[in-house]
Amino acid sequence: MSRKLPPLKALRAFEAAARHLSFTKAANELHVTQAAISHQVKSLEEHLGLTLFRRLNRRLVLTAAGQIYLPVLRDAFDQIASGTKQLYKDDDTGPLQISVLPSLAAKWLLPRMSRFRDKHPDIDVMISANNKLVDFSDDSVEMGIRYGAGNYPGLQVDLLLSDEVFPVCSPSLMKGPKPLKTPDDLLHHTLLHDEVSREDESPDWRSWLQAAGVTGVDWNRGPGFSDSSMVIEAAAAVQGVALGHRWLAAADLESGRLVKPFGPSIASKHAYYIVCPPAVAERRRVRLFREWLLEEAERTGAETAALSSC
């Protein structure tokens, strides 16, 4: 079915002039003369048989027809611009852009990236480590790994890693004048707090102490940290006892930098999820990286299964 559309130049001229309510500003935006804008608008009005502007004392005012037409054209041009941008994004070349929480990037993802490079040497990965939620409609980021309840409307979501927390500390705290032997011994040690966990309602010291049946310990005392990996590092540096997230503490537990002095482990209602727009999910580099992430999650789950049992 053929479409009888007004000339594109005339439509662009009107949309710009209507948006600015100025022929001069429209001309500057489109890099043409004011006379050219005026001519194109007049041509469009003749084509439609409607008046789109009133010219009052050197001021432009949209007519009723102009007020109806402006949002229609603005939306159409926005869709064209978005579609054009998507064409370039759909080009399956260049690096894969992913957004990851800094703590998971440092403690879980980066130490494993050499395996992905060995498996897919032709795919470069650009990792943006930040806590900001990605707006996939505006960003060049194609994939994210987020910590939450898994409710991400409009995105393809895959569970990557379920989570649990338990106390971790330097091995040196297991000995000395006041060694950590039982949960009650926390009374004599500094508690380290993960402020991210407090914000996202993950288990904190208050809920852990309640689950462990410990009383008489001020759960709120001790320093706090704005990044979960910092809490792990503080614990390894003998600054106190932290509640370690399973996957963030796993490597340090395996190496012996940290130990789990006692339980219990508390399951978190939040987990790590792979998220991406459905429109990009089947791009080769996105698909292969997602598959590799899930393989790594399964591998490390088997390797660290014993770490949370106590």
Side-chain angles (χ1 to χ4, degrees):
M1 178 180 176
S2 62
R3 296 185 178 92
K4 295 182 180 180
L5 300 175
L8 179 59
K9 284 186 177 180
L11 294 175
R12 290 188 66 204
F14 165 73
E15 191 275 337
R19 185 161 26 86
H20 293 294
L21 290 178
S22 168
F23 284 176
T24 301
K25 291 180 180 179
N28 291 336
E29 178 181 318
L30 299 179
H31 305 290
V32 296
T33 64
Q34 181 179 345
I37 295 293
S38 179
H39 174 76
Q40 291 293 345
V41 170
K42 182 178 180 181
S43 172
L44 179 61
E45 289 177 326
E46 291 175 350
H47 181 94
L48 297 173
L50 296 168
T51 300
L52 300 174
F53 287 109
R54 291 196 189 92
R55 296 154 180 82
L56 304 174
N57 298 324
R58 298 184 180 180
R59 188 165 59 91
L60 287 180
V61 177
L62 286 169
T63 64
Q67 292 175 21
I68 292 172
Y69 211 26
L70 172 59
V72 173
L73 292 180
R74 183 171 53 215
D75 291 346
F77 285 131
D78 285 346
Q79 289 187 39
I80 292 170
S82 177
T84 303
K85 182 179 179 181
Q86 193 65 39
L87 286 177
Y88 287 102
K89 287 183 70 175
D90 282 341
D91 180 13
D92 201 15
T93 60
L96 169 65
Q97 308 268 355
I98 69 170
S99 172
V100 187
L101 294 167
S103 54
L104 191 70
K107 291 295 185 179
W108 187 83
L109 180 60
L110 294 182
R112 293 166 170 77
M113 281 301 299
S114 60
R115 288 202 282 260
F116 180 78
R117 287 192 293 269
D118 291 342
K119 191 172 184 178
H120 301 290
D122 61 314
I123 301 177
D124 291 325
V125 180
M126 300 291 290
I127 298 174
S128 173
N130 60 69
N131 291 309
K132 184 184 76 169
L133 291 178
V134 179
D135 182 355
F136 287 104
S137 65
D138 295 329
D139 266 317
S140 59
V141 174
E142 297 167 283
M143 176 185 290
I145 302 177
R146 283 291 169 260
Y147 187 73
N151 182 27
Y152 302 100
L155 298 177
Q156 176 173 308
V157 180
D158 294 283
L159 173 64
L160 179 63
L161 297 164
S162 56
D163 194 26
E164 60 184 5
V165 301
F166 43 81
V168 294
C169 66
S170 167
S172 64
L173 294 186
M174 301 289 290
K175 50 193 175 184
K178 295 179 180 178
L180 275 173
K181 299 295 185 181
T182 69
D184 289 319
D185 294 327
L186 289 170
L187 180 65
H188 308 295
H189 293 269
T190 301
L191 302 183
L192 306 175
H193 298 274
D194 184 346
E195 297 300 329
V196 176
S197 294
R198 289 184 177 185
E199 291 175 4
D200 63 24
E201 300 180 354
S202 294
D204 59 9
W205 275 116
R206 182 180 187 179
S207 54
W208 188 90
L209 290 167
Q210 289 176 344
V214 177
T215 59
V217 175
D218 181 2
W219 67 272
N220 204 34
R221 62 180 169 82
F225 301 85
S226 63
D227 183 82
S228 299
S229 62
M230 294 169 61
V231 184
I232 297 297
E233 290 302 309
V238 204
Q239 295 181 25
V241 186
L243 279 181
H245 291 262
R246 179 184 182 189
W247 303 105
L248 304 186
D252 291 306
L253 287 167
E254 186 175 359
S255 70
R257 289 183 77 221
L258 293 175
V259 294
K260 180 183 177 185
F262 37 67
S265 297
I266 302 181
S268 173
K269 64 181 180 181
H270 290 172
Y272 293 97
Y273 293 90
I274 306 169
V275 296
C276 69
V280 307
E282 290 307 313
R283 292 180 192 169
R284 176 178 175 271
R285 60 176 180 252
V286 174
R287 175 175 51 81
L288 291 178
F289 194 72
R290 170 185 167 276
E291 290 172 356
W292 175 79
L293 284 172
L294 294 174
E295 290 171 3
E296 283 297 311
E298 184 175 355
R299 176 207 293 258
T300 53
E303 291 174 348
T304 62
L307 292 176
S308 61
S309 61
C310 186

